[in-house]
Amino acid sequence: MSADEERAGVRLTNLDQPLFDGADATKRDLVDYLDAVAGRIVPQLAGRPLSVVRVLRGQKPFMQKNVPKYTPEWVRTVRVWAETSRREVAYALCDDRRTLLWFANQRAVEYHPPLFRAAAPARPTHLVIDIDPPGADAFGAAVRAAHLVRQALDDSGLRGAVKTSGAKGVHVFVPLDGSAPVEDVAAATRALGARAERLDPGLATTAFIREDRGGKVFLDSTRAGGATVAAAYSPRIRPGTPVSFPVPWDELDHVAPADFTVRTAVGLLAGGDPWSDLMPPPQALPAGLIEEGHTIPIARVQAMHEGKRRARARRDAAG
């Protein structure tokens, strides 16, 4: 079998090279996997400014936002103002299989879309809680925390779907009807995290500063605005090349992230699209949840001020 071939008009090269150290996969495995799930992952990426994580031979992985100069003209792009770097960034829009295969040939392993479409950046399509356990061997704790989030959703009159992150935790997605602006979605996310934390403060925390978490599971409620989240079915740059995979709530206690890899995931799909099937219909956010969230400080801002305060305290203590 040749190490080069062509699909959908995309020339694929060096397919038999190892993907990265510890991947247990070649570039061909990545291409074959993404091609097999193109009909499932492209709808999640289409129309959204896409960030990818690439891993080139002999280099460390890096996140790519700006498309390179050699990007084919048929790859659609959108220019977005980046406040942090004070410049416009030209993001790709992965709207079709051809673009996905081009990214795969660029050794783009991870696919991180934002929670909004380029045509409506102020109206998130999903509310997300990113559940991050304290260690790579604490997935069970992340699952227990996910059930807290599900209970908080139920208590708030909302429903969500859950997937492994492909790393060490899980993601809970709540589809939205587009009626709430980004500020209200961010507030509701903070309130949902706080409600889940109150259900079992010994297990879960919303503390943004890592040293304040006390070994608990972090309920990250900051994934609103311009933040990105690994898409369902996206591979991850982890040993064995696991993928972010949808799981029914009643099966979450019986899975592990390593169950789903670029080598095994397609067979587990059985021709279906569980992320689409498990996702509830779009919902409106309850007014009470939004109101509660607006009383909770924005975590990143609060952490920045607290970090400065602690730095001053350390300087003062040092004399």
Side-chain angles (χ1 to χ4, degrees), residues 10 12 15 19-20 26-38 40-56 61-65 67 74-75 91-115 163-167 171 173 223 226-238 241-245 262 275:
V10 178
L12 304 170
L15 292 174
L19 194 53
F20 55 86
T26 63
K27 184 178 173 183
R28 182 184 299 279
D29 292 321
L30 174 70
V31 169
D32 286 347
Y33 168 76
L34 287 170
D35 201 6
V37 301
R40 302 169 180 88
I41 194 171
V42 167
Q44 300 177 62
L45 308 179
R48 299 175 190 264
L50 181 62
S51 300
V52 297
V53 181
R54 297 172 62 193
V55 56
L56 306 183
F62 63 96
M63 178 165 279
Q64 175 183 291
K65 299 176 181 290
V67 293
W74 44 261
V75 173
Y91 287 89
L93 299 174
C94 188
D95 292 345
D96 51 36
R97 172 180 173 239
R98 187 184 189 189
T99 304
L100 182 66
L101 287 171
W102 178 78
F103 269 118
N105 192 57
Q106 299 299 307
R107 302 176 72 101
V109 179
E110 301 191 5
Y111 295 77
H112 294 254
L115 301 177
K163 64 184 181 71
T164 67
S165 69
H171 296 148
F173 272 61
R223 300 288 182 163
T228 64
V229 183
Y233 308 116
S234 172
R236 304 301 301 270
I237 303 175
R238 299 289 192 278
T241 321
V243 305
S244 181
F245 202 84
V262 292
W275 191 231

Side-chain angles (χ1 to χ4, degrees), residues 254-291:
H254 310 295
V255 302
D259 293 343
F260 315 106
T261 73
V262 292
R263 290 180 176 273
T264 65
V266 174
L268 297 172
L269 290 171
D273 182 1
W275 191 231
S276 176
D277 295 342
L278 295 170
M279 190 66 66
Q283 299 149 85
L285 291 171
L289 192 69
I290 295 172
E291 291 167 7

